[in-house]
Structure formats: C-alpha cells, structure tokens
Amino acid sequence: MHKLKSISKMLQSSSLKKTVNCEPTTVNSYFYYIFCCLFILLICAVGQSFAQNRYSVKWVDDGDTIVLMDGRRVRYIGINAPEIDHKDKKAESCGYIAKNYNKNMVLSKKVRLEFDKERYDQYGRLLAYVFLEDGTFVNKVMIGQGYAYCLYRGPNKRYNKKLLGAQRDAMTARKGIWKNWKEEKNGYLGNKKSKRFHLETCAFGKRTGLKNRIFFSSKWDAYWEGFAPCKRCVE
C-alpha cells in the first residue's frame, strides 16, 4: 500500500513536470504564430503602400515638369531646365533637348515621388524628387547630363548637396548647357539666403542685405556655388 502511494505520487509529479514543461512551449508557439501573422500583415501593408506611391507619367511638359495619369502636374525640386517656347517667349538653348531627354526617361513609365517640407508651388504643382522603378534619381540625372541647373528653393533642400555635386560634374565635363559656354565679363551680386544672383546694376539685387551679399566675377562662378540667375536681369 505504501508502495502504491509512492508510485502515485511519482506519476503525479511526472505529470506535473510534463505540464509545466509543455506550457512554455505552447505559449512560445502561440506568440511566435502571432508574431509571424503580424509580420506578414506589415509586409503586405508596406508593399501596398509602396505600390500606391508609384504613378504613371502621362505627359512631359519640359525638362523639369511632368503630368501624371491622374492629371496632377509635378515640378522637379531643386532644378531648373531651359525653357521651351510658349506664349510670346522663344525656346532657350537646349530647351527641347532637355524636354526630349526627360521624355525618353520617364514618359509612360512608373515613378516614385518623394516630397520635402513644402509640397506645392505657387501654381499648384506638386513639388517632388522623382525616382524611376530602378532607383534612378531623375532630378539628379537631368542636372548631371547638363540639361538643367540647380535651383535652390527653401525649405526643400534635402538633396541640395547631391544636386550641386552633379552640376559641378556636368560643368567640368562641359555637358549640355555648359558645352559651349561663353559669357561677357560682368560683376554679379548673389544673395546667400535666396541663392539667386543678379547683375550688380539690378535693382532687385541691390535690395540684398549686406550680410547676405556675395560677389562673383562671372556667371560660371555663381553657378559653381549653386546660385541660380535672376530671370529679370541675367540671360
């Protein structure tokens, strides 16, 4: 009788140990299952969001502006391409070359838009950094090929250094608008805050505060430092 009680206790003890040993495994399996489900849902959500951030390009206006399938116009941040003819203005040198290069790169393709602090310009256009599906940074390519120059526009300045680096490479290689560079000797006044430069005789340039003034002996030097021309006084 005493032996039976001892065996019974041993069995109970063994059963208890099995139960104790099983519970953590069961709990761990349960949490692992939940984790996997949540991870899969997260991947799906990210993938869907990533896909939704891709847009087909319906039209190319010029070297720095496109139109999406939904009708929205997108202006590339940080660059300015030569103008094509419109209204009473003639096309600028390389204007149509820049447009065609941009067109060959993005038309009828899907692009990813990356925004900065300011999302729209005064004309209601989306301001964006544009990337192809293979990761090609379109804004940078347009500058790097010499079909656009840096156009500072605060507060959107996330890629300013990369864009300026691409511009200096294009200038050094004499690509696009830099190919047959010629200019008359003039003095130019730059505004460190707006990153615009003017002829020293320009009334708008003269309004620049003394602490923001910087002088250049050529347009080339101003472009090299990332300044863009005042459209009223610099051709």
Side-chain angles (χ1 to χ4, degrees):
M1 186 69 179
H2 179 70
K3 287 183 179 182
L4 288 175
K5 287 183 180 180
S6 298
I7 292 171
S8 177
K9 287 181 180 180
M10 288 175 63
L11 289 173
Q12 289 176 5
S13 177
S14 176
S15 176
L16 181 60
K17 285 181 179 180
K18 287 181 180 179
T19 303
V20 171
N21 288 334
C22 286
E23 285 183 352
T25 303
T26 304
V27 171
N28 288 340
S29 298
Y30 174 76
F31 280 111
Y32 178 75
Y33 173 77
I34 294 297
F35 173 79
C36 289
C37 290
L38 291 174
F39 183 75
I40 292 171
L41 288 173
L42 178 63
I43 292 296
C44 291
V46 171
Q48 185 176 5
S49 176
F50 194 69
Q52 289 175 348
N53 195 31
R54 295 188 182 278
Y55 307 92
S56 295
V57 178
K58 178 182 179 181
W59 183 259
V60 174
D61 276 350
D62 50 32
D64 54 40
T65 307
I66 58 176
V67 181
L68 305 178
M69 280 296 182
D70 58 14
R72 290 181 296 171
R73 269 184 164 73
V74 179
R75 178 66 161 78
Y76 297 171
I77 295 175
I79 82 170
N80 192 59
E83 299 290 342
I84 60 173
D85 62 305
H86 59 283
K87 296 182 180 179
D88 57 342
K89 293 184 178 181
K90 294 182 179 179
E92 295 178 344
S93 176
C94 286
Y96 279 97
I97 296 175
K99 176 182 177 177
N100 289 333
Y101 193 89
N102 189 27
K103 183 177 179 180
N104 289 334
M105 205 168 24
V106 304
L107 184 63
S108 299
K109 296 180 182 178
K110 288 189 176 182
V111 295
R112 177 175 65 84
L113 305 182
E114 186 176 320
F115 304 107
D116 212 323
K117 293 182 179 179
E118 186 177 73
R119 188 166 288 206
Y120 296 93
D121 66 6
Q122 66 269 36
Y123 305 108
R125 297 177 299 187
L126 272 175
L127 298 172
Y129 304 106
V130 180
F131 297 85
L132 296 178
E133 289 190 291
D134 64 1
T136 299
F137 186 8
V138 178
N139 308 48
K140 182 181 176 183
V141 171
M142 290 301 297
I143 286 183
Q145 292 299 319
Y147 296 134
Y149 58 80
C150 290
L151 181 68
Y152 175 84
R153 185 190 178 94
N156 296 342
K157 50 188 179 181
R158 183 178 305 154
Y159 292 109
N160 279 2
K161 289 184 179 179
K162 283 189 177 182
L163 297 178
L164 180 56
Q167 177 167 295
R168 288 178 173 174
D169 289 342
M171 293 174 76
T172 301
R174 299 285 177 149
K175 291 183 176 181
I177 59 178
W178 316 109
K179 186 176 182 179
N180 299 310
W181 187 264
K182 292 179 181 179
E183 64 172 293
E184 297 178 0
K185 289 187 178 181
N186 283 305
Y188 298 92
L189 190 157
N191 186 321
K192 295 178 183 177
K193 186 176 181 180
S194 67
K195 287 284 187 176
R196 300 291 183 273
F197 70 91
H198 312 255
L199 283 167
E200 285 185 307
T201 56
C202 176
F204 292 97
K206 290 180 179 179
R207 295 177 187 174
T208 304
L210 292 177
K211 69 175 183 178
N212 288 321
R213 289 187 181 188
I214 183 171
F215 292 92
F216 300 105
S217 59
S218 67
K219 288 191 290 185
W220 182 274
D221 290 342
Y223 280 116
W224 185 266
E225 295 302 322
F227 286 70
C230 165
K231 288 291 188 179
R232 293 184 175 90
C233 68
V234 181
E235 294 182 358

